Amino acid sequence: MAEPALENLYREGRAFPPPAEFVADALVNDEAVYSQAEKDPEAWWASHAERLRWMRKWDTVLEWAPPHARWFLGGQLNVSDNCLDRHVDSGHGDQVAYHWEGEPGDARSLTYAELRDEVCRFANALRELGVAKGDRVNIYLPMIPELPVAMLACARIGAIHSVVFAGFSSQSLVDRITDADSKVVITADGAYRKGSVVPLKENADKAMEATDNVSICIVVRRTGEDVAMTDGRDHWYHDVVEGRSTECAPEPMDAEDVLYILYTSGTTGTPKGIVHTTGGYLTQVSATHRLVFDLKPDRDVYWCAADIGWVTGHSYIVYGPLANRATSVLYEGAPDHPARDRFWEVVEKYGVTILYTAPTAIRAFMKWGPELPAGHDLSTLRLLGSVGEPINPEAWMWYAEHIGGGRCPVVDTWWQTETGAIMITPLPGVTAAKPGSAMRAFPGVKAVVVDEGGEPVPPGGGGYLTLQRPYPSMLRTLWGDDQRYRDTYWSRFGDDVYFAGDGAKLDEDGHIWLLGRIDDVMNVSGHRISTTEVESALVDHPKVAEAAVTGRRDDLTGQAIVAYVSLKGDLEGDDALARELREHVADRIGKLARPANVLFTEDLPKTRSGKIMRRLLKDIAEGRELGDVTTLANADIVSAIQASAGDSAKEE
Ligand code: WT7
């Protein structure tokens, strides 16, 4: 199956185009798409907005008062109307919106008409319970159809959803409920996770007890666990939708009304509530989904194998694909349960044509060997996507060869929770692809790699990735903290230059290669976790005096979390305590934040002003030679830490 031709092109460092028949057939197959968008970016984005159904057309495309942009002013629309009714009205009610595949192997397909009806029923139920336009609703659900249904029901009545990844702990839910002052929680009795059941309702109960906010909790029955239901507050989902009308007039929303909040890690312990609005967001997620994946709604079966708890799922499982009338696979489980070929079984079962997944998954597939995909018929695949972290050329090549059979274009797509939609990516049919490079900005987007002083670097140079022009899906602010919005993104190079927090380089052809985050945010399996967030969780343990956390390179997960911990008084660290601390972090934040290594140390390397030298700890964690340590107040601690790094307590 290996295609030596691809391998050679890669070895020679040459770009290669997608197959000729693909180019001929692609939605855009002409370089002119870039120059046209560049000539008039506002007209370009407006042409995509016009594909949506507006209740009232906009008066002004863009108002840019740095660092605040407003798009499609005066326009009114409803996202759920665009994702559902529009397609039913155009005669596509019988088309499948989601082929849902449950972890235990149960399955259910929902057509656009069925999804619309279910959303209306639940939207009516929410209204009946007193949920109104502008209210915040926390959604804490596994990957079951009720998750997109709940999001779309909120969108239908103008409530603002804040989805909390079902793998997060109750403490994370508390933080998000309080920050957004939300009075509704939608959850399930439990969630399947590789054969066991996560007690979601129990977690939600703990969170609701810890705050006074929540007066309405709706519980979906998924696993059938016995759960406690609090009278007056808790309602079963199946009870509240029972007998409800399938008609529910969509709330007319201003283009700039908030669609959702999604929390993401920043460099401090408190997560940031990223705010996305209605018109611009839907415009860019649908435009990018259509063009980057070259979507043909009548023939494609599209699968984005992310979790809706992250922005990838919001934009490319729910809003983009539904706005484009895609038929999607919605998969509840993990890639390796019950067996390591589960993904390929799903691709074969539904005849998936477009697959969008993360480098960390691809590297796991590589490790498990090419025999697993080779044991399935993957010939329906015609396009592959990657997202979440830099993809190493080896993984890119393996994906192209062993999954794509050497015939599928691969699109490496760079974007962020903040950008809401894809920003840097090849366009299949137009842009050449180099393994490991996200290539170039999407048409209309202005991505510039700059040096310390904010000057663009020439081809061959490296520096910081910035975005220097507003785009429709950009975050508008941070929920309740506009100052932090300015400080975090718009202060480093001026208030009209967005600083993404990523390092990047340009190759000799001017193509963009992302290098990962340059601040104190780690990227573990494509998920952003801040070092301070994990540090606060550790210090919160009664035995911990101080903690410093850093990411080290990991072949599988991109980065792995290393925690340096000094204990209170004369306490001594051992394996049992290391395990306890790992669990403690999992409890406070979620399993994905559990450190891979816990190293106990007398003290942490600090500068004379008391600042922990994280860079040094990272060098130690990655086994690099250390640079200058003379600015340290306690230089000898470094050799002690290095010595103990060898016999660190490592997770299984
Ligand atoms: C950070 C954003 C985009 C949805 C999932 C993550 C890294 C993302 C790529 C890519 C290199 C990437 C960046 C970015 N990242 N995609 N294709 N190549 N790096 O969303 O949690 O907001 O994280 O993920 O470092 O800043 P997020």
Side-chain angles (χ1 to χ4, degrees), residues 576-639:
L577 183 57
R579 260 196 307 279
E580 191 179 318
L581 293 180
R582 279 204 293 269
E583 286 323 305
H584 183 74
V585 174
D587 248 28
R588 298 279 311 189
I589 307 173
K591 288 206 172 77
L592 63 143
R594 187 162 47 190
N597 311 76
V598 174
L599 286 118
F600 295 105
T601 159
E602 287 284 293
D603 200 359
L604 295 165
K606 288 180 192 147
T607 60
R608 278 166 237 276
S609 61
K611 204 167 158 16
I612 296 172
M613 295 269 286
R614 282 201 187 67
R615 182 181 49 75
L616 206 70
L617 293 171
K618 194 178 167 79
D619 287 344
I620 296 173
E622 297 189 335
R624 255 192 308 274
E625 207 158 299
L626 305 181
D628 182 21
V629 293
T630 52
T631 56
L632 287 181
N634 51 352
D636 7 316
I637 196 65
V638 174
S639 36

Side-chain angles (χ1 to χ4, degrees), residues 312 388-390 412-417 502 514 517 523 528:
T312 311
E389 47 170 321
D412 173 16
T413 63
W414 179 92
W415 56 293
Q416 308 178 297
T417 308
D502 280 30
L514 279 315
R517 305 202 50 90
N523 187 325
R528 269 160 74 171

Side-chain angles (χ1 to χ4, degrees), residues 34 38 41 45 284 413-416 419 421-425 438-451 454-459 461 463-471 493 496-500 502-506 510-514:
Y34 286 102
E38 201 52 37
W45 291 119
Q284 193 169 337
T413 63
W414 179 92
W415 56 293
Q416 308 178 297
T419 70
I422 293 171
M423 300 296 286
I424 303 177
T425 177
M439 301 303 289
R440 64 193 282 189
F442 187 80
V445 168
K446 190 173 175 192
V448 186
V449 181
V450 302
D451 63 18
E455 289 306 312
V457 305
Y464 306 96
L465 178 66
T466 64
L467 301 170
Q468 303 208 358
R469 183 193 288 151
Y471 49 95
F493 301 108
D496 56 353
V497 175
Y498 173 88
F499 172 49
D502 280 30
K505 60 179 203 227
L506 297 179
H511 290 131
I512 304 172
W513 296 70
L514 279 315

Side-chain angles (χ1 to χ4, degrees), residues 65 90 118 153 229 285 294 311 356 425 430 528 537 576 613 617 629:
S90 67
E118 186 73 15
M229 297 291 278
V285 293
D294 184 48
V311 76
Y356 191 28
T425 177
V430 184
R528 269 160 74 171
M613 295 269 286
L617 293 171
V629 293

